[in-house]
Amino acid sequence: MAARDDSARGPALGYADPLGEPFLRTRFAVPARPAVFVRRPRLTAHLDQAFDTPLTMVNGAAGAGKTLLVADWAARLGQPVAWLTHEAADQAPGMFWAYALHALQTAGTPLPAGTGGSPGGLHRVDHRLLARLADELNGRDRPAILVLDEFDRLTAPETAEQLEFVLHHAGRGLRLILVTRTEPLLPLHRYRAAAAMTEIRNDELAFTPEEAADLLARHGLRLPADAARALVERTRGWAAGLRLSALAAQQSADPQTYLKEFEAGHSTIADFLLAEVVGRQPPETQDLLLRISVLDRFGPELAEALTGRPGAGPLLAGLCRQNAFVEDLGHSWYRLHPLFGEILRVHLRARSPALVPELHRRAAWWLRAHGALPEALAHGAAAGDWECTAGALVDDLALGRFLAGPCDDLTGLFAAMGPEACGAAVDLVRAARELAEHDVDHGLAHLGRAEERPATGTTTAAARLSCALLEVLAARLTGSPGRAEQAMAAAARLRHEVPARLLAKHPEITALLLTHLGSARVWAGRFDAARAALTEVAELPGDALTELPREDCLGHLALIDYFDGRLDRAESRALAAADATRNGGGRPFPGAGLGQLVLAAVAVDRDELERARALLAEAAESGPGSGAPDPVTEAGRALVTGRLRLALGDPAGAAHAADAAVRTHAASPWSRANAALAAAAVLLAEGRPATAVEVLDGIDGPLGPLCAAEVAWARLAAGHREEALETADRLCADGETGPGVTVRATLVRARAAVGAGDGDAARKLLARALLEARRDRLRRPFLDAGPEIRRLLDSPPLHGLAACWLYGDGPGTGPAPLLVEELSGREREVLGRLAQMMSTQEIAADLYVSVNTVKTHLKSIYRKLGVGRRGDAVRRARERGLL
């Protein structure tokens, strides 16, 4: 039985409510704070502003700590506070005002004369009483403080209107504090506009990580700062969630692990929310909450797709206003509090397990129709509806994500797709997944099945363009340039049928098509056509979806530059490609490691053999671990390995390495020429020039300038002087090639002059070759040129040209290099751009590296040159012949 408040007896006011029941003392008591209560000064300081505004509202979800916050503040004021906790039965105006007046009298607030035991009856309040009350309060020197707790229970507009009348006319004599889960039926806009209202809302009530750590400590739990932050993130700082999880953790053998991994759906938190939030809602709203729990975010239309009923908009807006753990994301989109969503999902699975996949299926189709691809994929996979999931990916033209970068999310998503799933889109996804792993046989089988199925729907152009992309990739991996060109022609036609917005949304499609086509053209030896396609991709603006194709293209362009003899440009692009591979965490793609291979080839040409060996090893670790190798990359590996073996004096090993088999549909002319040159070197070393010439005669097709220069050298060594000179003269006259070609061609001419007994001509040619090779430190051709050339290089006129760099860090003898520590290739690139007066930002953009990387190189350059400024570095470099 409720206790009677004897202190309320007296002439001013009776002790019974309008129904004749005694007033319940507990409703007027300021709630006690538990021993583990955490006082939060930031909030109490905010509450102190209540003295300056007539209305204060503390508005938050159930269990947000509203009541205890205000109770702690009230208990520390040092003055009486009228406190009233509402109940649902207070809807009648007479009942509300009877309790409100009694609360004021209990706090010692004088009431107007003539107020009897009832303010006018249960359903009616005498307006004159309210006017006298307002007038009495308005005359006070010190305002009365009235706290109405659980004010959200009061839903009668008439009572709210009467309360606003008293508040307005009481002036400075009343400070009203409402503790509520939802905004009250008061004209709040007026108070806000007049800056006459203090508000503490749900977000401000949330515990900070520091406050949460304090709360846990009061429960005897000590958590590291990061663990406390994680718990606050999961609970959104919700006070009741933190308190209940702390109580449960006290019972655990490992509290820290429990707080990190506890299942909210099977905890006291679930009991609290199901009773305090879900249980208060009507059946229709409860059903809505359960169904939308499968969604990360939702709007009215999506919610209606899951319920099959209209009218979700007002329900969602109402739940948000009620602080019913439905959070507003803006633009009529919402999300559930993470713990609330977790609990609802567990409740849904327990009540209606068969409904869960159906809800995911409905969500997937709705999201697919509205262009929300990531969410559509997730829900389609959760429903096991692979036709919808694969179709969404293909229709969005997003199949390239399997090929353009890290796709762990997609791989994991489709890992559950079993063999029973069927359809053209399903087969396309399987084909993309297999080809991304270089499983060409299975990939082509799935691609064939996808192309055989009848195309239906309005988005078949996207599906056919995806087929063309996979065809180009398959052609690249199988060394089929003709097939790649055909597929690219089909893709070019289809691009006009695909919506422009999809092409703009997925730049990786164009980038991948051009990259794979460019690689196929490199394999065919069509270097100019390949350069055109690859350059278009390399010059694309930085984008996460095109990063890997750009890296792939840079490696291929570096290889083409190397074949053209342009070591500086080859090194620059290869460094950018290699840096991207290292910084990208070793993500596999067809041309991974090609940048390192080109750098290794440059290192061999510079006689930096240990560095070449290390780069070869790094390239081997960068490539895909299984499946068919990329033909261009494998042929490049064979070329560099063969050159390294030859530089180490192992012609037989070079021939074996250069003849590494790459299974392709069409042979590459430059790859075959490389193998033939290595074989010819062995035959020449064995004294079999005639057989060597037969091998060289078997070389056909476009070779590229570098290969042509090496063939000319081999023919000269085999005694075919005229043919060698004809090729060398043509290469020297061609202004499109770099020192890697022209130096070799000039050495052919010099050696021919030596053979003809024209020492002066040979010296002039060697001087020209030395000057041209000096900038790129192109040592290997001189070291391989034979004893006659070496003797001329040691003669006084040429020795000075060679001494500064030719014998610097390679084998052989000669003066020591001028630098104690030689500049790296990248440092020389940066130094060259310094001489062009380029800024740090411009150098970074030109070299495809970050500004910080350029700054690191500059520091190293200054140290090695012994200078401290840009101008001094350029001057010192010119003095030493580095520029």
Side-chain angles (χ1 to χ4, degrees), residues 178-443:
L178 304 180
V179 182
T180 177
R181 295 186 186 182
T182 186
E183 291 198 349
L185 299 174
L186 297 177
L188 301 182
H189 60 283
R190 294 184 199 163
Y191 289 93
R192 287 172 177 146
M197 181 178 174
T198 298
E199 290 186 77
I200 296 179
R201 304 183 70 87
N202 207 48
D203 289 345
E204 191 176 353
L205 289 167
F207 273 62
T208 66
E210 294 75 20
E211 292 166 347
D214 189 1
L215 176 64
L216 294 170
R218 291 169 186 264
H219 287 78
L221 304 171
R222 302 288 179 180
L223 249 65
D226 57 344
R229 281 193 298 272
L231 181 61
V232 168
E233 175 65 25
R234 186 178 179 192
T235 60
R236 296 275 204 274
W238 177 44
L242 291 168
R243 162 80 165 144
L244 292 172
S245 59
L247 289 171
Q250 286 179 322
Q251 310 303 316
S252 171
D254 186 353
Q256 185 171 334
T257 301
Y258 174 85
L259 290 171
K260 181 180 179 181
E261 302 175 356
F262 72 89
E263 298 181 17
H266 301 284
S267 67
T268 53
I269 298 175
D271 299 335
F272 180 93
L273 288 176
L274 291 173
E276 290 292 324
V277 180
V278 180
R280 287 193 177 195
Q281 305 299 331
E284 181 182 354
T285 305
Q286 291 186 25
D287 180 68
L288 170 69
L289 286 170
L290 286 173
R291 287 171 180 261
I292 61 176
S293 68
V294 302
L295 302 167
D296 291 329
R297 64 186 186 105
F298 43 86
E301 291 184 11
L302 178 53
E304 289 166 3
L306 268 61
T307 62
R309 299 186 302 271
L315 291 179
L316 292 174
L319 288 167
C320 189
R321 284 196 303 271
Q322 297 168 28
N323 287 309
F325 293 85
V326 175
E327 303 171 356
D328 188 2
L329 298 177
H331 305 288
S332 296
W333 280 88
Y334 306 90
R335 68 180 177 189
L336 295 174
H337 184 287
L339 284 181
F340 191 42
E342 186 179 339
I343 290 164
L344 288 174
R345 286 190 291 275
V346 171
H347 200 51
L348 174 65
R349 286 194 295 270
R351 286 181 51 179
S352 307
L355 182 60
V356 176
E358 172 61 18
L359 293 173
H360 281 297
R361 188 190 67 80
R362 292 184 190 181
W365 283 100
W366 189 93
L367 290 162
R368 175 181 173 182
H370 290 79
L373 179 65
E375 293 161 293
L377 295 178
H379 286 289
D385 189 339
W386 300 111
E387 179 185 359
C388 172
T389 309
L393 191 74
V394 173
D395 287 352
D396 195 75
L397 204 61
L399 202 66
R401 286 179 54 193
F402 274 111
L403 315 172
C407 59
D408 293 345
D409 54 341
L410 283 182
T411 302
L413 193 74
F414 284 97
M417 186 171 69
E420 71 283 353
C422 61
V426 170
D427 284 325
L428 274 177
V429 168
R430 289 187 175 124
R433 192 169 58 184
E434 302 293 355
L435 288 172
E437 297 295 327
H438 291 206
D439 188 344
V440 177
D441 293 338
H442 287 98

Side-chain angles (χ1 to χ4, degrees), residues 698-756:
I699 298 175
D700 58 2
L703 302 182
L706 179 63
C707 231
E710 292 179 327
V711 169
W713 181 267
R715 287 192 179 278
L716 180 64
H720 288 229
R721 182 174 182 276
E722 296 303 324
E723 295 177 31
L725 281 176
E726 181 182 350
T727 301
D729 291 341
R730 174 172 53 81
L731 291 173
C732 287
D734 183 2
E736 298 299 320
T737 56
V741 172
T742 54
V743 167
R744 286 179 167 89
T746 303
L747 286 174
V748 170
R749 297 172 68 193
R751 185 169 177 181
V754 170

Side-chain angles (χ1 to χ4, degrees), residues 649-663:
D650 181 11
H656 177 74
D659 197 28
V662 182
R663 194 182 70 171

Side-chain angles (χ1 to χ4, degrees), residues 9 26 34 89 110 194 224 377 504 527 570 596 660 752 781 808 881:
R9 296 177 181 176
T26 52
L377 295 178
F527 298 130
Q596 285 91 331

Side-chain angles (χ1 to χ4, degrees), residues 595-626:
Q596 285 91 331
L597 290 174
V598 174
L599 290 174
V602 172
V604 171
D605 279 358
R606 290 173 176 165
D607 201 37
E608 299 167 355
L609 304 187
E610 286 304 315
R611 182 167 185 264
R613 200 193 307 269
L615 286 164
L616 272 171
E618 183 181 343
E621 295 174 358
S622 302
S626 60

Side-chain angles (χ1 to χ4, degrees), residues 1 49 125 151 169 210 248 267 320 336 376 403 488 496 506 521 582 688 699 710 724 737 748 763 765 767 782:
M1 177 181 294
Q49 297 176 21
V125 174
F151 192 73
H169 291 287
E210 294 75 20
S267 67
C320 189
L336 295 174
L403 315 172
M488 189 65 184
H496 299 291
H506 294 287
R521 287 174 174 174
R582 297 180 188 116
R688 300 163 59 191
I699 298 175
E710 292 179 327
T737 56
V748 170
R763 288 186 184 89
L765 289 167
F782 295 95

